[in-house]
Amino acid sequence: MEFTAANVEEAVRQFYCQGFVQQEVHHWLTTAQYSPAAWTFSWDLIQPTKSIEVQFFGASCLHVKIARFWSELPPEQYHTLKEQLIDRIAQFAKGPRIVLTRLCIALSSLVLHLTPDHWPDAIQSLISLFQQENPNLDSTQRCHLLLEILTVLPEEFFSTNLTHQRRAILRHELAKALPHVMWLLQSLLSSNLGAKVQEQALKSVASWADFGLDPELMEPLVEQVFQALHKQDTFDAAVDSLVKIFSHPEMERYPNTLQKLLLHTLRTQEMYEKALAEKDMETVQGLCRVVVASAENHPKVIVKMIQEDGEKRELALALLHTVIRFAFPPGQYPVDESCSDMSFTFWYMLQDELFECEEEEFRKLVPVFQPLYYTLIQVLLAKVQYPEDQEFESWAKDEQEAFRCFRQDIGDTMMYAFNVVREPVLGFFCSTLASLIEQSKSQEIRWQTVEGIFFMFGSMAECVDLEETVYLPMLMNMVPSIHFTNITLLSTALYMIGSFGEWMNSHPEILSCVLPLVLQGLNNSKVGTAATMALKDITRESLDHIRPFIPQILSTSQTILQKDILLERDAMRLMSCIGQVLSILPIPDIMNYLDAILVPRLQHMQHLVKQEPSEAVQKQLVFQVQLLSWLFSTLDTDRDSADVSNGQTAKPPAPTGPKPVFVVMQQILPTVQELVAKWKSEPSIVEAVNEMFKKSLSVLMDDFQPLANSVADMMIQMYEKTPHASILDVARQIILLFGSDAAFTQYVNTMLNVICTRTLESYPAVLREPDVVEAFMIFLGNLLKKSRSLLVSCGVNLEAVLKAGIATMAVAEQCVVKSSCFFVIEFLTAGYEEESIKVIVNNNMQFIVDRVLRAIGGEAARHIMEIISDVLLACCKYHFPVLNTTIRVLLATDGYPSPRASPQDKQNFLKVIISDKNNKRKMRETVKEFSLLCRGLLGTEYVEVAKQFL
């Protein structure tokens, strides 16, 4: 269909009225927008008689053409386009607003193209033009039009892709116009043209603030912006302007001006207090934004001011206290107020700035900042507390989630505060907690306050010195005296205890204070996650001191598992803790405990295996196998253990019998074999079983050898039924470990043949499962790299495998491409030494090079060019003669690998890769550059802009 105004208008109508054809119409309209005809039909669409939708599309077309297809317009039409556009903007002075704005954006783009060569002093001339009397526009309308243009012009400048040189030229031109713009905005802010004009002027201030403001121009203008805060109609725009002004990075170059502006900020306190009293939270939030912006963007200046005595220090400290006052208004976040999350970034930046000081200077500053941080800590302690249970439950899910994230941010801020003030903070919380405990003897206290203190301690845990011996022992000794009547309180206490697991390794006497509470928490499924995580942290970090508590831990754990009260994930974590503590016991004791804990589990598992398949049975079987996996992952009797008697790390006596994991594996092997035979087509079962094999293999290593044949047989069964990535992962490890064992040779050959044949048979289907393809390529690549002879001698069709690897170099998934390239590179490397592989490489070199060149030419994403270039490097390095012949033949084809690459471009590319065939860095650079050329991107503005972000 022809791109005419009538056709486009009808398409726009269909787009908005007929949803079922929206995608097709959108594609046609986009094509129309990019067509040369858009220069003509755009004007026909921007007529007062047309619908708003049609007018808006016409204005958008005009903007797109000016912004992106400027080269289509001959220079002699520049002036006509400018005059037409200005006239049309005046025509739409009364709206619709969205059409007017789009036309102003189009004019802004035109200014950026014409300045300075074809339209010198464009901004000044626009200001002069709209100041002139116009019979069709009154003064207010002219102001609105001019301000709309001035507002969108900087935004268009920053959003347009420009070369460095062009951007520098335009920035210089806009900076020249800055005094004229500022003078205009000042006069409009003090005029009587009404709140709407002043609001628009403030938006222009915010827009032009990105260019930086000269101090002489800035001070009177910013005073006017602060005055605009006191007017309801201009408040929001004034806030946005001030935030932009304070956020400009060049503001720090003018510290004296900045200090004057900070004084204006402090003078908003009366307005803030009034807004609080009137519960005007929108005004509170706006003022908070201004204060936080003034501090957040200038922590360096604030610290320097505090380093000086006198008025500057007082001003800076007053600002910091104002930040705390404004950013944390009364009420519960996020229901009553939404300001409390605004200042968190500032406290992080302030901490960083303090740490940049010299050590001596930092020590001097700490006493100055200490009162401030104490104030902040008290406010944070109040804000971190939960509301009453009934109120919290009445909150919406998104409000509860916002509060959870808010608490996490408070925890991070608490850590920043601790890094500055250090141990006195611990003393503050300890004394607060002690007074609450004493108070609880005579009256009821809020559990939320105690929970908040525990949360704060947990947030600081990773920063507390392991040698701390004053406050943390005091804290831990107070824990048993607290009545845990609330689930949230108990959960937070357990998380806190776990966070100090590493510290407890240096203070083992504390274990007797906290372990009873942790074990008690296991009995409550609502705190099961916190309890098992705490137990895991303690047993992992303090394993050398846990021996006296092992009977209690194992007895409680056995009872909990028998009751089956924990969530599945928590039960698995508990099983991991069991393996951890068992590891330091003598093997006879380990086996006794394992019999008591596992026998009921194994019996239940045998019962489940014999039942008819169902979803419920499947889930239970997966859970039982996962429990064993988590147990095996930590039950390692070969680990180092500390000899507590002499404080030296010593190796435990060598075990006199087989490892516990091996014994358990032997016991469950018949059940697992029956399980695999019955459920080998169920992915969740297959994944769980292979994860168990993987965990046991990582613990047993060479001791796994007696189990290898049986496990390999099960893996063959599973893979024959359904290829799965987890099978390939375990198969790779088993073959690399035991492939050279003569007794295992038959299973290796069978496994390799089954894996390769089964995968290649169903390769089109397997390609829909990227994780299987990735694992398959990694499996083969590792075998070629570490046990090449096994793959060569097993009878696998290596040529078919290579072709599969070449084919998957072209898929969309980056992980698959990388693994396929890894395999192909290893295949090429092996061909350098292995004659049989060399023959295959020579026969398939054309396919390899063709795939590489097509990827470079544009058939593959640019971000994988490095790994693609590594394949080409391997070809050059190990098979240069056949590569040299092949690549010359392929590149001689017209339009290959891209019509954008000329014969000379291809010759230059070939010359470089031949001369630098052993230089990986140079090869990657060459391939990247040639790929950009093939895609038509070399030397474009897009690439120049992209380089700024790389």
Side-chain angles (χ1 to χ4, degrees):
M1 190 163 59
E2 189 180 357
F3 297 132
T4 64
N7 288 339
V8 172
E9 184 175 355
E10 176 60 23
V12 171
R13 188 193 65 78
Q14 289 183 9
F15 180 79
Y16 284 101
C17 299
Q18 299 180 17
F20 60 92
V21 295
Q22 201 170 53
Q23 188 171 355
E24 296 175 14
V25 175
H26 177 267
H27 177 72
W28 189 88
L29 286 172
T30 302
T31 307
Q33 203 172 42
Y34 293 167
S35 70
W39 288 108
T40 304
F41 70 65
S42 295
W43 297 106
D44 297 328
L45 301 179
I46 313 171
Q47 296 290 343
T49 56
K50 304 295 183 181
S51 68
I52 294 178
E53 293 83 5
V54 171
Q55 291 171 347
F56 179 76
F57 183 76
S60 297
C61 280
L62 203 54
H63 172 236
V64 168
K65 298 305 292 184
I66 294 172
R68 299 173 60 180
F69 298 93
W70 180 250
S71 59
E72 295 178 356
L73 194 71
E76 58 269 18
Q77 294 185 23
Y78 291 171
H79 180 74
T80 303
L81 176 63
K82 178 181 71 172
E83 295 299 323
Q84 278 184 292
L85 195 48
I86 292 173
D87 288 344
R88 200 56 57 96
I89 287 172
Q91 195 175 32
F92 280 83
K94 296 181 180 179
R97 179 64 183 271
I98 60 169
V99 179
L100 174 62
T101 301
R102 186 55 55 179
L103 288 171
C104 290
I105 293 173
L107 180 62
S108 299
S109 186
L110 183 66
V111 169
L112 297 181
H113 281 295
L114 296 181
T115 300
D117 297 334
H118 299 281
W119 194 359
D121 300 325
I123 297 170
Q124 295 92 313
S125 66
L126 283 171
I127 293 173
S128 176
L129 174 66
F130 283 98
Q131 285 179 332
Q132 296 172 10
E133 292 291 333
N134 187 318
N136 299 318
L137 300 172
D138 60 33
S139 58
T140 303
Q141 289 174 331
R142 296 200 309 274
C143 285
H144 276 303
L145 293 179
L146 179 57
L147 289 172
E148 186 69 28
I149 295 168
L150 292 177
T151 301
V152 299
L153 180 56
E155 295 169 0
E156 185 70 5
F157 170 78
F158 287 109
S159 64
T160 301
N161 288 333
L162 299 166
T163 62
H164 286 302
Q165 182 180 5
R166 182 60 182 166
R167 188 172 294 279
I169 292 171
L170 288 175
R171 183 180 281 277
H172 174 71
E173 291 298 317
L174 293 173
K176 274 196 334 184
L178 191 58
H180 300 275
V181 175
M182 292 300 105
W183 174 84
L184 172 70
L185 296 177
Q186 268 186 263
S187 62
L188 291 176
L189 285 173
S190 58
S191 70
N192 297 319
L193 291 174
K196 288 291 184 184
V197 170
Q198 291 185 344
E199 182 184 12
Q200 190 65 44
L202 290 167
K203 290 179 180 179
S204 293
V205 171
S207 189
W208 281 84
D210 286 327
F211 289 104
L213 301 174
D214 185 278
E216 294 181 5
L217 299 171
M218 183 193 305
E219 290 182 27
L221 180 63
V222 174
E223 284 184 20
Q224 289 180 301
V225 178
F226 270 105
Q227 290 171 12
L229 286 174
H230 297 275
K231 302 174 185 176
Q232 186 176 356
D233 293 335
T234 56
F235 176 80
D236 291 336
V239 168
D240 292 337
S241 298
L242 289 170
V243 169
K244 273 289 189 73
I245 291 168
F246 279 123
S247 301
H248 198 279
E250 291 187 4
M251 178 66 80
E252 290 190 359
R253 291 173 52 194
Y254 312 109
N256 293 331
T257 300
L258 178 59
Q259 289 167 28
K260 294 178 183 177
L261 300 187
L262 293 180
L263 279 171
H264 286 292
T265 303
L266 295 180
R267 289 172 187 150
T268 61
Q269 292 191 49
E270 184 179 343
M271 185 179 177
Y272 177 84
E273 296 296 340
K274 181 183 177 184
L276 269 184
E278 296 174 354
K279 296 185 178 180
D280 180 3
M281 298 312 294
E282 290 186 5
T283 300
V284 168
Q285 186 172 4
L287 293 174
C288 178
R289 285 182 60 206
V290 173
V291 171
V292 170
S294 68
E296 184 177 276
N297 293 284
H298 310 290
K300 185 186 291 291
V301 174
I302 291 171
V303 171
K304 285 182 179 178
M305 290 170 67
I306 292 177
Q307 287 173 325
E308 301 180 27
D309 291 325
E311 292 182 1
K312 290 184 178 180
R313 173 180 287 189
E314 290 179 7
L315 173 60
L317 288 174
L319 176 65
L320 294 178
H321 282 286
T322 303
V323 170
I324 297 175
R325 176 77 181 107
F326 280 35
F328 299 104
Q332 187 78 51
Y333 180 92
V335 177
D336 301 324
E337 53 90 8
S338 55
C339 301
S340 292
D341 63 339
M342 290 187 186
S343 65
F344 291 135
T345 302
F346 165 67
W347 297 111
Y348 170 74
M349 296 175 71
L350 181 63
Q351 171 212 240
D352 262 14
E353 204 58 53
L354 287 170
F355 287 158
E356 288 293 319
C357 298
E358 296 291 334
E359 187 175 345
E360 182 63 31
E361 189 62 40
F362 178 75
R363 279 201 298 268
K364 292 179 181 178
L365 287 173
V366 169
V368 179
F369 276 94
Q370 202 166 44
L372 171 79
Y373 273 106
Y374 274 127
T375 303
L376 174 64
I377 289 165
Q378 291 176 50
V379 172
L380 293 177
L381 178 58
K383 284 290 182 180
V384 82
Q385 294 176 30
Y386 280 90
E388 295 301 328
D389 291 339
Q390 188 174 359
E391 180 186 347
F392 186 69
E393 289 169 5
S394 69
W395 288 6
K397 291 293 183 184
D398 59 336
E399 291 172 336
Q400 293 182 359
E401 175 62 15
F403 183 65
R404 185 194 67 78
C405 297
F406 174 64
R407 278 169 57 92
Q408 192 60 54
D409 289 335
I410 285 181
D412 294 340
T413 306
M414 188 65 247
M415 184 171 64
Y416 310 150
F418 176 80
N419 287 336
V420 176
V421 185
R422 303 301 299 177
E423 279 66 25
V425 175
L426 302 178
F428 167 77
F429 283 120
C430 277
S431 61
T432 304
L433 182 60
S435 64
L436 286 170
I437 293 173
E438 184 63 30
Q439 188 180 338
S440 68
K441 296 176 182 178
S442 57
Q443 65 185 76
E444 187 177 352
I445 60 170
R446 293 185 78 248
W447 65 264
Q448 289 93 335
T449 308
V450 179
E451 190 273 344
I453 293 173
F454 286 155
F455 181 86
M456 295 301 207
F457 270 113
S459 301
M460 297 182 286
E462 66 180 76
C463 301
V464 177
D465 294 334
L466 297 180
E467 296 76 23
E468 209 291 313
T469 57
V470 179
Y471 299 113
L472 289 186
M474 187 188 307
L475 167 68
M476 298 302 175
N477 283 310
M478 283 190 283
V479 169
S481 61
I482 295 172
H483 299 293
F484 291 95
T485 56
N486 182 275
I487 293 297
T488 304
L489 173 60
L490 176 57
S491 181
T492 304
L494 292 170
Y495 280 124
M496 179 203 69
I497 289 169
S499 66
F500 285 105
E502 186 179 4
W503 175 83
M504 289 179 197
N505 189 42
S506 303
H507 306 272
E509 68 280 1
I510 298 300
L511 291 172
S512 59
C513 296
V514 297
L515 268 175
L517 181 65
V518 174
L519 298 178
Q520 177 190 337
L522 294 174
N523 285 285
N524 190 329
S525 62
K526 293 181 179 178
V527 295
T529 301
T532 53
M533 289 187 73
L535 185 61
K536 182 181 177 182
D537 290 335
I538 292 172
T539 54
R540 183 183 65 238
E541 301 292 348
S542 305
L543 192 59
D544 301 331
H545 310 289
I546 209 74
R547 191 182 293 270
F549 307 97
I550 287 179
Q552 187 182 2
I553 293 172
L554 293 177
S555 173
T556 303
S557 300
Q558 180 183 348
T559 303
I560 298 302
L561 289 173
Q562 287 174 348
K563 290 181 180 179
D564 205 19
I565 59 176
L566 294 178
L567 298 174
E568 287 187 359
R569 191 72 182 176
D570 297 337
M572 287 186 271
R573 194 179 297 112
L574 179 59
M575 192 65 89
S576 171
C577 298
I578 291 171
Q580 195 86 252
V581 298
L582 284 176
S583 298
I584 62 173
L585 293 179
I587 286 184
D589 292 347
I590 295 176
M591 298 313 303
N592 289 336
Y593 278 115
L594 283 178
D595 284 343
I597 293 170
L598 291 184
V599 167
R601 291 276 160 193
L602 299 181
Q603 290 174 346
H604 182 52
M605 186 173 168
Q606 290 168 356
H607 173 69
L608 290 171
V609 169
K610 296 185 185 302
Q611 291 187 17
E612 287 299 316
S614 68
E615 186 177 349
V617 171
Q618 170 211 324
K619 289 181 179 179
Q620 290 186 58
L621 281 169
V622 169
F623 175 52
Q624 300 302 324
V625 175
Q626 287 175 333
L627 284 176
L628 292 171
S629 296
W630 281 69
L631 175 68
F632 293 165
S633 67
T634 54
L635 183 50
D636 186 2
T637 53
D638 281 348
R639 76 174 77 221
D640 291 344
S641 64
D643 186 347
V644 182
S645 62
N646 58 19
Q648 300 296 315
T649 300
K651 194 82 173 175
T656 55
K659 293 180 180 178
V661 171
F662 179 81
V663 175
V664 175
M665 279 293 294
Q666 273 192 322
Q667 291 174 353
I668 67 171
L669 206 56
T671 304
V672 176
Q673 288 172 325
E674 189 177 349
L675 171 67
V676 168
K678 197 169 184 177
W679 289 88
K680 58 190 174 188
S681 61
E682 174 52 51
S684 60
I685 297 282
V686 170
E687 187 171 353
V689 168
N690 280 284
E691 184 65 20
M692 181 181 68
F693 290 157
K694 183 178 177 181
K695 298 294 186 187
S696 59
L697 186 60
S698 65
V699 171
L700 295 174
M701 298 302 288
D702 291 340
D703 294 335
F704 192 86
Q705 195 273 339
L707 304 169
N709 290 354
S710 299
V711 170
D713 185 56
M714 285 186 276
M715 294 170 65
I716 291 168
Q717 291 181 50
M718 289 187 283
Y719 206 87
E720 278 185 323
K721 185 66 178 176
T722 307
H724 199 282
S726 63
I727 304 173
L728 293 166
D729 192 20
V730 179
R732 174 175 55 84
Q733 296 182 52
I734 289 180
I735 292 173
L736 292 177
L737 268 175
F738 308 115
S740 59
D741 190 340
F744 193 57
T745 302
Q746 179 184 348
Y747 285 94
V748 170
N749 292 339
T750 305
M751 195 183 305
L752 287 173
N753 275 279
V754 166
I755 288 173
C756 293
T757 304
R758 182 70 178 87
T759 306
L760 295 176
E761 279 177 357
S762 55
Y763 212 61
V766 170
L767 285 174
R768 292 194 291 269
E769 300 180 46
D771 57 329
V772 176
V773 181
E774 181 186 11
F776 180 60
M777 290 298 157
I778 292 173
F779 170 78
L780 293 172
N782 275 286
L783 286 181
L784 283 169
K785 190 173 187 177
K786 299 176 182 177
S787 298
R788 184 186 310 154
S789 59
L790 295 176
L791 197 58
V792 173
S793 62
C794 71
V796 167
N797 186 343
L798 292 177
E799 186 163 9
V801 170
L802 175 61
K803 287 181 177 178
I806 297 169
T808 49
M809 287 169 58
V811 300
E813 291 80 4
Q814 183 177 349
C815 60
V816 177
V817 174
K818 285 189 173 182
S819 61
S820 300
C821 290
F822 164 66
F823 161 67
V824 173
I825 290 168
E826 292 302 328
F827 202 98
L828 292 166
T829 306
Y832 183 69
E833 300 173 353
E834 194 74 41
E835 189 60 33
S836 61
I837 295 180
K838 185 176 183 179
V839 172
I840 296 172
V841 170
N842 290 341
N843 292 339
N844 290 275
M845 182 58 74
Q846 182 174 348
F847 300 118
I848 298 172
V849 178
D850 178 61
R851 174 51 56 208
V852 168
L853 290 177
R854 286 181 183 278
I856 294 171
E859 290 188 7
R862 286 194 298 120
H863 59 256
I864 64 166
M865 284 303 107
E866 284 194 358
I867 188 69
I868 291 291
S869 68
D870 291 346
V871 177
L872 187 58
L873 180 70
C875 291
C876 289
K877 194 172 183 180
Y878 301 115
H879 306 278
F880 181 72
V882 65
L883 166 77
N884 190 27
T885 304
T886 305
I887 197 169
R888 288 179 186 277
V889 171
L890 289 171
L891 288 177
T893 307
D894 289 339
Y896 177 94
S898 165
R900 294 186 178 91
S902 68
Q904 186 60 49
D905 294 328
K906 291 189 278 188
Q907 191 62 37
N908 294 339
F909 171 67
L910 184 60
K911 182 180 179 181
V912 175
I913 65 171
I914 290 174
S915 62
D916 296 300
K917 59 179 179 291
N918 293 319
N919 188 326
K920 179 186 250 188
R921 181 187 60 80
K922 187 66 176 176
M923 179 70 75
R924 287 183 170 184
E925 290 177 358
T926 302
V927 166
K928 278 185 180 180
E929 184 173 331
F930 188 61
S931 182
L932 288 172
L933 186 148
C934 289
R935 297 162 198 261
L937 295 174
L938 188 64
T940 61
E941 291 183 9
Y942 170 76
V943 173
E944 290 297 319
V945 172
K947 285 180 180 178
Q948 299 176 32
F949 299 95
L950 298 178

